Amino acid sequence: MIADRTSFFGQTRPEFKAWIVDREFPEVHAKTIWSAVYLRGEGRFEQIATLPRRLVTALQESFFLELPPLAQERHSADGFTRKYLHSLEGGQQVESVLMRFSGRVTACVSSQAGCAMGCVFCATGQQGFSRHLSAAEIVGQVVHVDRVVRGSAAAGPALAKAGAASPHARHERLRNVVLMGMGEPLHNYDAVMQAIEVLRYPHGVAIGAEHFTLSTVGVVPGIRRLADEPRPVHLAVSLHAATQEERAALVPAARAWPLDELMEACRYYCAKRDRGIFFEWTLIEGRNDSPEEAHAVGRLLQGMQAQVNLIPLNPTSGFAGAPTRPSAAKRFQAVLAEYGLPSTVRQRRGIDVAAGCGQLAGAGTNRG
């Protein structure tokens, strides 16, 4: 029986309710169990009051409540960033990040162990692909951050103490989830969308429909599928270059999905969903941060529902480039404004513990 168990955290609320009803228990128990696990952090079904003994036994035989074990935790000197290394079944490790901003907390989570996309400036891309994460493994990273923020004892005494360390902890809650950690979310589409459905549901983590952001290097079939399905996510597309040749040099996946096909898919998405896209641009000094490059971006995106997120390059051991200077970033923004394109420069968080964009590397967490 034990070998047949599956993670509770991979079940959507409707799926779990159906499991309850199929076993001829009142469906009210589904809400009781869901709230106990997600809101109170119960780690054992027998600890949940009012459940019939027969239901507890059935739950124990079908599900387990353990999260992916935490192998390491690192705190940034900025006081706003924490990085977690999670161990997975099979020996792989992935990282997630808790980021505090004014008035909100964001969890950045991984969707794969490693990545097959091979972006040259990304630590995950430099290590190659190991495997997809299950929906439960993705949810588990978010639940861990949520419990830290809540100060739940279920996350462990040390983590509960850490979660309460912030003077604002009593008023904080996890508000945003960004799938911008290790891996390409659209390469693991079904598990990612299953995880989002789990995390959306009331009486649990309950992330609002408008508070998920998925970042892709430009997996065209996934973008089109996302356009055709009413999924509650914001789409972010890693662009980094405005010509096919330059983009393929930075993002090898562009050889499979060329820039013109990517832009066609993006326009289709905007039209079908009537919503904009965040375009991410890693600013590399002397390579893609000139006013000429900014004009090329402006021409490429002009007329689209788009916002450009400018990300000064974060250091990794496998890429020799340097981040653009603040003055160059401001010039880049000024050019984009000429084309009516809003833009922001990403706040750099957690660089000292390699928790920044493009720095996550699983077992390589000690680097940086």
Side-chain angles (χ1 to χ4, degrees):
M1 283 289 186
I2 297 297
D4 294 332
R5 293 191 307 165
T6 188
S7 175
F8 176 84
F9 298 105
Q11 304 289 306
T12 66
R13 180 66 178 275
E15 288 172 342
F16 183 61
K17 183 188 293 187
W19 184 91
I20 292 284
V21 172
D22 285 348
R23 283 151 185 80
E24 300 182 347
F25 293 106
E27 67 177 52
V28 68
H29 290 312
K31 180 180 178 181
T32 298
I33 297 163
W34 195 269
S35 298
V37 172
Y38 283 106
L39 297 183
R40 299 202 304 277
E42 297 288 3
R44 299 169 62 185
F45 291 114
E46 61 267 29
Q47 294 174 330
I48 304 174
T50 74
L51 295 185
R53 181 66 233 177
R54 188 169 67 87
L55 176 54
V56 170
T57 300
L59 289 163
Q60 291 171 329
E61 291 176 346
S62 297
F63 303 108
F64 60 86
L65 288 172
E66 292 80 10
L67 299 176
L70 188 65
Q72 188 181 70
E73 174 179 348
R74 300 183 70 190
H75 292 209
S76 173
D78 65 18
F80 297 103
T81 309
R82 298 175 186 176
K83 184 171 74 165
Y84 306 105
L85 179 67
H86 307 270
S87 296
L88 306 179
E89 185 177 352
Q92 298 85 10
Q93 293 181 312
V94 296
E95 293 182 320
S96 63
V97 182
L98 181 161
M99 297 174 288
R100 284 188 166 96
F101 300 91
S102 178
R104 70 187 192 279
V105 179
T106 295
C108 176
V109 299
S110 298
S111 56
Q112 296 177 317
C115 184
M117 301 298 117
C119 298
V120 299
F121 50 80
C122 175
T124 313
Q126 292 160 13
Q127 69 181 212
F129 176 74
S130 294
R131 71 169 174 87
H132 297 303
L133 268 59
S134 68
E137 290 169 331
I138 297 169
V139 170
Q141 297 170 69
V142 179
V143 169
H144 172 81
V145 171
D146 186 54
R147 289 180 176 179
V148 170
V149 174
R150 292 175 188 270
S152 168
L159 295 180
K161 183 178 179 181
S166 167
H168 307 293
R170 292 183 181 179
H171 307 289
E172 287 181 329
R173 68 176 295 262
L174 178 60
R175 180 182 172 190
N176 302 310
V177 172
V178 295
L179 287 134
M180 295 182 180
M182 298 173 63
E184 164 55 63
L186 293 184
H187 189 203
N188 189 18
Y189 190 99
D190 291 330
V192 164
M193 297 308 165
Q194 176 87 354
I196 288 172
E197 288 304 308
V198 174
L199 294 167
R200 285 181 60 197
Y201 213 88
H203 311 297
V205 181
I207 302 296
E210 295 299 308
H211 294 282
F212 291 96
T213 302
L214 177 157
S215 177
T216 177
V217 299
V219 178
V220 167
I223 293 172
R224 288 188 171 275
R225 182 176 175 186
L226 196 61
D228 290 334
E229 299 177 356
R231 300 291 186 178
V233 298
H234 292 290
L235 179 62
V237 175
S238 295
L239 197 56
H240 310 311
T243 68
Q244 171 60 17
E245 181 180 4
E246 293 169 346
R247 189 165 189 274
L250 292 172
V251 183
R255 297 170 193 143
W257 299 292
L259 183 60
D260 57 349
E261 293 182 18
L262 171 61
M263 297 312 301
E264 184 180 347
C266 289
R267 293 187 184 93
Y268 176 76
Y269 173 90
C270 290
K272 191 73 180 289
R273 296 259 61 87
D274 190 25
R275 68 191 313 169
I277 294 176
F278 297 103
F279 286 94
E280 298 168 320
W281 188 277
T282 295
L283 285 167
I284 306 169
E285 185 176 36
R287 183 154 185 177
N288 68 351
D289 64 343
S290 69
E292 292 75 20
E293 286 282 351
H295 280 290
V297 177
R299 291 190 294 269
L300 186 68
L301 302 182
Q302 192 171 27
M304 290 185 64
Q305 297 180 62
Q307 176 172 318
V308 182
N309 290 337
L310 300 171
I311 309 168
L313 177 73
N314 291 318
T316 64
S317 60
F319 186 70
T324 195
R325 299 167 188 264
S327 58
K330 289 181 180 179
R331 285 196 301 269
F332 206 98
Q333 282 191 290
V335 173
L336 295 179
E338 294 176 18
Y339 293 85
L341 288 170
S343 65
T344 59
V345 178
R346 178 78 57 85
Q347 286 182 267
R348 304 186 85 200
R349 289 283 174 86
I351 308 305
D352 58 325
V353 292
C357 184
Q359 292 186 306
L360 303 189
T365 189
N366 288 315
R367 295 181 299 183

